[in-house]
Amino acid sequence: MTRPFPPTRRALALCCSLATLLLGAGPVGRRLDNGLARTPPMGWNSWNHFGCNVSEQLIRETADAMASSGMRDAGYKYLVIDDCWEVARDANGTLVADSVRFSHGIRALADYVHSRGLKFGIYTDAGTQTCQGRPATLDREVQDARTFASWGVDYVKEDWCHARGLDARTQYAKFRDALAQSGRPIVFSICEWGSNQPWEWAPGIGNLWRTTDDIEDTWPSMLSNLDQSAQHAGVAGPGAWNDPDMLEVGNGRMSDAEYRAHFSLWAIEAAPLIAGNDVRTMSDATKTILLNAEVIAVDQDSSGVQGILVSSGPPELQIWAKPLADGSRAVALLNRSAAPARIQANFRRAGITADSATVRDLWAHADLGTFAREFAATVPPHDVVMVRMTPVRR
Ligand code: GLA
């Protein structure tokens, strides 16, 4: 029998995911079951573009832009304020927002976001202070979860700064339980940068967990996060996702081709698609990438399998493949080199067991025809060709 994948660890991980999918057993039982994030969360977060420069005006304008640009309707529903919204605790210990930047308070802002048909997310930290030195949640888990629920929060990202001496699994489990007790459905995003092997415990605690350090808006940083997250493909699935960090698409330091590759590969990896650009002013090229419905559909495929690297050719010319619920495969031909290159995707390596398959280009939005045994394309440097291969059954 010909194997659909070379028998590497990554391939075994994928096989486990497939077995899980088919049998409904295995790791699924250990995944967080709060009914949320059955497909990878999609949304926007302030950090990558704005850092600490957040305000209610920015969040309102972003909510408006997400509605008017088509982002919301394409699936980007969580609008998340990252660090720096919080300045203190009041006499009751309740977190207090910066009254200059958020003069109407967080509850009113959440209402505004909801009124635009979006969901509202916020940031805290599991330690004594956030990464920017703001008040954080250690020993206040129940109180903060209640506060967030009372404000109408739908998503919480919890960071890991100022957490020396703490046990990550214990602390994140505490906040998971506090969120559950709050009575409001809240997506839980764990952000300890892969520093405590979260892939071993986070699937039962959070809906997503960072697998890497912070992404930077550069080609090497993006690829490094891609590669690191790829090592844990077997544990991801509906409700619980590896998070190689938020998108840099549109932030200006990579080319459009590099952003296209970034977006394609996040979709292949079933990564959360959290835009990190200024959506109020995005270019048409950026919109074309973030709003590509065919690539988003790969990310959001109901089978929830994280795709893997399946090629073993020249190291800079790679083939990544993700099984989809209808039996087809999403395949990305990735050229990591600085020169154009011909990349051949063998059907069997990509997991297609039929001799021939129809191929659709997900960036050109074009059916390319029926191919036998392989599909090949010339891929420009630092770019990707992404297709959907559908086996032809005779
Ligand atoms: C850490 C996180 C980032 C961001 C900043 C905010 O670095 O990994 O994603 O939340 O903190 O201070």
Side-chain angles (χ1 to χ4, degrees):
M1 190 187 104
T2 313
R3 288 175 191 273
F5 290 93
T8 60
R9 272 178 59 210
R10 274 188 286 258
L12 287 174
L14 181 66
C15 287
C16 290
S17 299
L18 287 172
T20 295
L21 176 70
L22 293 171
L23 305 173
V28 164
R30 296 197 302 274
R31 290 194 191 116
L32 180 60
D33 188 16
N34 60 3
L36 302 170
R38 305 307 296 168
T39 61
M42 292 178 65
W44 177 90
N45 173 297
S46 53
W47 184 254
N48 281 358
H49 191 87
F50 296 96
C52 266
N53 195 16
V54 287
S55 66
E56 64 184 25
Q57 192 187 344
L58 169 71
I59 299 303
R60 286 176 185 217
E61 289 174 7
T62 298
D64 293 346
M66 287 178 75
S68 63
S69 63
M71 292 276 288
R72 177 194 63 202
D73 295 343
Y76 296 88
K77 67 178 177 186
Y78 292 101
L79 194 165
V80 184
I81 316 182
D82 208 279
D83 206 348
C84 300
W85 64 270
E86 66 282 60
V87 285
R89 290 189 183 270
D90 68 13
N92 300 321
T94 304
L95 280 168
V96 176
D98 183 325
S99 62
V100 175
R101 290 172 174 268
F102 297 91
S103 58
H104 296 88
I106 300 296
R107 170 83 236 191
L109 191 54
D111 288 347
Y112 187 89
V113 170
H114 290 148
S115 76
R116 292 293 175 274
L118 294 158
K119 293 195 176 284
F120 179 70
I122 208 161
Y123 164 99
T124 189
D125 183 290
T128 54
Q129 289 178 17
T130 73
C131 296
Q132 303 303 315
R134 308 304 176 96
T137 293
L138 182 63
D139 296 333
R140 302 276 191 174
E141 287 82 6
V142 171
Q143 182 172 21
D144 288 356
R146 272 202 203 127
T147 302
F148 293 154
S150 75
W151 288 345
V153 165
D154 307 296
Y155 181 117
V156 177
K157 167 177 170 181
E158 194 182 41
D159 216 335
W160 190 241
C161 281
H162 302 284
R164 185 169 304 177
L166 297 173
D167 177 61
R169 181 181 189 148
T170 306
Q171 296 309 126
Y172 283 108
K174 260 191 207 165
F175 203 48
R176 169 201 59 195
D177 294 343
L179 289 172
Q181 282 167 29
S182 80
R184 187 174 171 89
I186 299 179
V187 172
F188 186 23
S189 162
I190 292 174
C191 177
E192 55 73 83
W193 325 299
S195 56
N196 300 274
Q197 292 78 45
W199 37 88
E200 290 173 5
W201 48 266
I205 295 179
N207 294 111
L208 59 158
W209 54 90
R210 285 271 299 277
T211 49
T212 69
D213 277 343
D214 289 7
I215 193 169
E216 289 164 23
D217 189 9
T218 66
W219 179 248
S221 167
M222 184 276 286
L223 290 179
S224 163
N225 283 18
L226 170 78
D227 292 343
Q228 289 175 66
S229 223
Q231 293 169 30
H232 314 293
V235 300
W241 310 98
N242 285 307
D243 176 9
D245 206 359
M246 303 170 293
L247 297 166
E248 291 284 9
V249 176
N251 277 334
R253 290 175 59 207
M254 284 193 261
S255 68
D256 289 334
E258 290 172 332
Y259 286 138
R260 190 162 47 237
H262 175 19
F263 196 68
S264 302
L265 290 153
W266 261 231
I268 291 275
E269 281 202 340
L273 297 180
I274 309 291
N277 60 318
D278 186 349
V279 294
R280 301 168 306 173
T281 57
M282 57 186 166
S283 67
D284 287 345
T286 297
K287 269 192 206 164
T288 301
I289 295 170
L290 291 175
L291 296 176
N292 184 329
E294 294 194 80
V295 175
I296 292 172
V298 169
D299 182 78
Q300 296 290 300
D301 186 76
S302 62
S303 70
V305 177
Q306 179 173 332
I308 57 166
L309 177 68
V310 297
S311 81
S312 53
E316 293 198 300
L317 308 180
Q318 297 187 331
I319 297 155
W320 293 73
K322 177 186 197 296
L324 302 174
D326 68 356
S328 65
R329 293 287 189 276
V331 179
L333 283 57
L334 171 65
N335 183 356
R336 299 166 75 127
S337 82
R342 186 114 181 121
I343 302 182
Q344 286 163 301
N346 177 281
F347 286 167
R348 285 187 189 272
R349 279 191 179 259
I352 299 282
T353 49
D355 288 333
S356 58
T358 58
V359 175
R360 179 170 173 82
D361 187 320
L362 302 187
W363 285 106
H365 304 295
D367 291 326
L368 303 181
T370 302
F371 293 75
R373 289 176 297 283
E374 67 172 34
F375 168 74
T378 299
V379 186
H382 291 199
D383 202 349
V384 78
V385 166
M386 185 167 176
V387 297
R388 190 167 180 140
M389 299 178 172
T390 306
V392 177
R393 306 266 172 223
R394 297 190 192 283

XYZ file of all heavy atoms in Angstrom, residues 45 47-48 51-52 82-84 123-125 130-133 157 159-161 191-193 210 212-215 245-246, ligand 1:
251
model
N -6.881 42.395 16.586
C -6.288 42.734 17.883
C -5.406 43.964 17.693
O -4.745 44.129 16.661
C -5.477 41.533 18.387
C -4.678 41.836 19.655
O -3.779 42.676 19.662
N -4.984 41.131 20.737
N -2.617 44.979 19.192
C -1.197 45.028 19.566
C -0.234 45.219 18.397
O 0.649 46.087 18.433
C -0.806 43.774 20.362
C 0.617 43.869 20.815
C 1.695 43.197 20.334
C 1.129 44.754 21.839
N 2.842 43.585 20.979
C 2.511 44.548 21.911
C 0.547 45.703 22.695
C 3.335 45.247 22.804
C 1.352 46.400 23.576
C 2.724 46.173 23.627
N -0.335 44.416 17.354
C 0.710 44.413 16.320
C 0.888 45.776 15.665
O 2.005 46.167 15.337
C 0.412 43.361 15.241
C 0.790 41.960 15.696
O 1.311 41.790 16.793
N 0.514 40.964 14.867
N 0.271 48.820 19.483
C 0.940 48.705 20.783
C 0.068 49.305 21.881
O -1.122 48.999 21.992
N 0.675 50.213 22.686
C -0.067 50.823 23.803
C -0.948 51.990 23.377
O -1.645 52.569 24.208
C 0.927 51.312 24.857
S 1.195 50.096 26.158
N -5.796 44.833 23.237
C -4.654 44.188 23.907
C -4.230 45.039 25.102
O -5.027 45.800 25.669
C -3.534 43.955 22.887
C -2.650 42.767 23.227
O -1.752 42.941 24.076
O -2.861 41.672 22.684
N -2.992 44.938 25.499
C -2.454 45.581 26.697
C -2.668 47.103 26.666
O -2.794 47.703 25.592
C -0.947 45.271 26.775
C -0.416 45.306 28.202
O -1.120 45.785 29.093
O 0.717 44.835 28.402
N -2.678 47.691 27.856
C -2.620 49.146 28.086
C -3.973 49.828 28.241
O -4.013 51.043 28.431
C -1.777 49.857 27.026
S -0.067 49.256 27.001
N -7.761 41.981 27.219
C -6.462 41.399 27.556
C -6.224 41.500 29.054
O -6.572 42.504 29.682
C -5.398 42.197 26.804
C -3.962 42.023 27.266
C -3.087 41.177 26.596
C -3.476 42.737 28.363
C -1.765 41.045 27.008
C -2.159 42.606 28.780
C -1.305 41.759 28.102
O 0.006 41.633 28.497
N -5.599 40.462 29.619
C -5.031 40.567 30.959
C -3.791 39.685 31.018
O -3.296 39.231 29.981
C -6.063 40.218 32.055
O -5.482 40.544 33.330
C -6.484 38.759 32.027
N -3.289 39.467 32.200
C -2.044 38.715 32.368
C -2.203 37.869 33.616
O -2.837 38.289 34.591
C -0.893 39.727 32.511
C 0.470 39.081 32.621
O 0.763 38.451 33.670
O 1.258 39.193 31.663
N 0.898 43.190 33.841
C 0.934 42.848 32.416
C 2.337 43.126 31.874
O 3.193 43.670 32.578
C -0.070 43.695 31.608
O 0.442 45.038 31.506
C -1.443 43.699 32.240
N 2.539 42.785 30.609
C 3.866 43.003 30.016
C 4.217 44.481 29.960
O 5.381 44.853 29.921
C 3.937 42.379 28.623
S 3.769 40.585 28.674
N 3.217 45.349 29.977
C 3.479 46.793 29.971
C 3.306 47.383 31.365
O 3.091 48.592 31.529
C 2.560 47.499 28.963
C 2.686 46.960 27.544
C 4.124 47.034 27.010
O 4.798 48.047 27.164
N 4.572 45.964 26.378
N 3.370 46.530 32.383
C 3.379 47.027 33.759
C 2.020 47.457 34.307
O 1.952 48.205 35.286
N -7.685 37.301 26.297
C -6.303 36.844 26.081
C -5.563 37.048 27.395
O -5.573 38.150 27.944
C -5.679 37.668 24.962
C -4.159 37.521 24.821
C -3.664 38.336 23.623
C -2.148 38.426 23.578
N -1.691 39.233 22.423
N -1.931 36.870 29.242
C -0.486 36.859 28.986
C 0.274 36.246 30.167
O -0.335 35.844 31.160
C -0.068 38.333 28.735
C 1.011 38.460 27.675
O 1.767 37.493 27.478
O 1.107 39.544 27.072
N 1.611 36.245 30.070
C 2.408 35.511 31.058
C 3.604 36.317 31.569
O 4.607 35.765 31.978
C 2.826 34.175 30.423
C 3.444 33.180 31.354
C 4.706 32.645 31.268
C 2.855 32.573 32.520
N 4.935 31.753 32.286
C 3.796 31.686 33.071
C 1.615 32.699 33.135
C 3.549 30.933 34.217
C 1.364 31.951 34.286
C 2.318 31.080 34.806
N 3.530 37.643 31.511
C 4.624 38.444 32.083
C 4.497 38.481 33.607
O 3.421 38.229 34.155
C 4.581 39.865 31.525
S 5.294 39.979 29.870
N -1.571 32.896 26.396
C -0.446 33.540 25.727
C 0.804 33.422 26.595
O 1.175 34.374 27.271
C -0.815 35.006 25.462
S 0.502 35.967 24.715
N 1.390 32.202 26.641
C 2.656 32.088 27.391
C 3.804 31.742 26.460
O 4.844 31.283 26.901
C 2.513 31.144 28.606
C 2.013 29.753 28.331
C 3.049 28.884 27.641
O 3.915 28.317 28.323
O 2.970 28.796 26.383
N 3.597 32.003 25.183
C 4.639 31.991 24.147
C 5.289 30.614 23.933
O 6.434 30.519 23.485
C 5.743 33.026 24.480
C 5.212 34.251 25.142
C 4.303 35.127 24.621
C 5.522 34.744 26.456
N 4.048 36.137 25.518
C 4.787 35.925 26.648
C 6.372 34.302 27.482
C 4.850 36.665 27.837
C 6.438 35.048 28.663
C 5.685 36.211 28.822
N -0.633 30.277 22.441
C 0.519 30.668 21.642
C 1.568 29.561 21.684
O 1.812 28.965 22.728
C 1.074 31.978 22.176
C 0.213 33.200 21.796
C 0.661 33.761 20.469
N 2.021 34.193 20.574
C 2.389 35.383 21.061
N 1.476 36.268 21.424
N 3.663 35.688 21.175
N 4.659 30.278 20.211
C 5.905 30.968 19.844
C 6.040 32.304 20.567
O 5.087 32.818 21.127
C 5.906 31.312 18.335
O 4.923 32.337 18.126
C 5.569 30.118 17.479
N 7.241 32.866 20.437
C 7.459 34.269 20.821
C 6.623 35.174 19.924
O 6.054 34.731 18.923
C 8.935 34.631 20.613
C 9.769 34.193 21.803
O 9.189 33.936 22.871
O 11.005 34.101 21.638
N 6.669 36.469 20.260
C 5.892 37.432 19.477
C 6.360 37.457 18.015
O 7.560 37.507 17.741
C 6.060 38.844 20.046
C 5.332 38.989 21.381
O 4.830 37.977 21.910
O 5.281 40.124 21.871
N 5.397 37.481 17.123
C 5.715 37.605 15.703
C 6.241 39.024 15.432
O 5.872 39.981 16.136
C 4.461 37.319 14.840
C 4.855 37.129 13.371
C 3.395 38.410 14.998
C 3.724 36.583 12.494
N 0.606 33.160 16.544
C 0.512 34.607 16.810
C -0.288 35.306 15.712
O -0.585 34.753 14.663
C 1.877 35.268 16.999
C 1.791 36.538 17.864
O 0.675 36.900 18.281
O 2.836 37.153 18.122
N -0.563 36.570 16.002
C -1.518 37.326 15.176
C -0.899 37.703 13.831
O 0.314 37.697 13.661
C -1.944 38.559 15.957
C -2.549 38.152 17.297
S -2.827 39.496 18.441
C -1.213 40.062 18.862
C 3.284 40.016 25.040
C 2.351 39.256 24.099
C 1.945 40.175 22.958
C 1.257 41.400 23.520
C 2.175 42.101 24.506
C 1.454 43.231 25.218
O 4.491 40.315 24.437
O 2.989 38.103 23.621
O 1.092 39.491 22.057
O 0.056 41.016 24.137
O 2.660 41.211 25.500
O 2.257 43.836 26.191
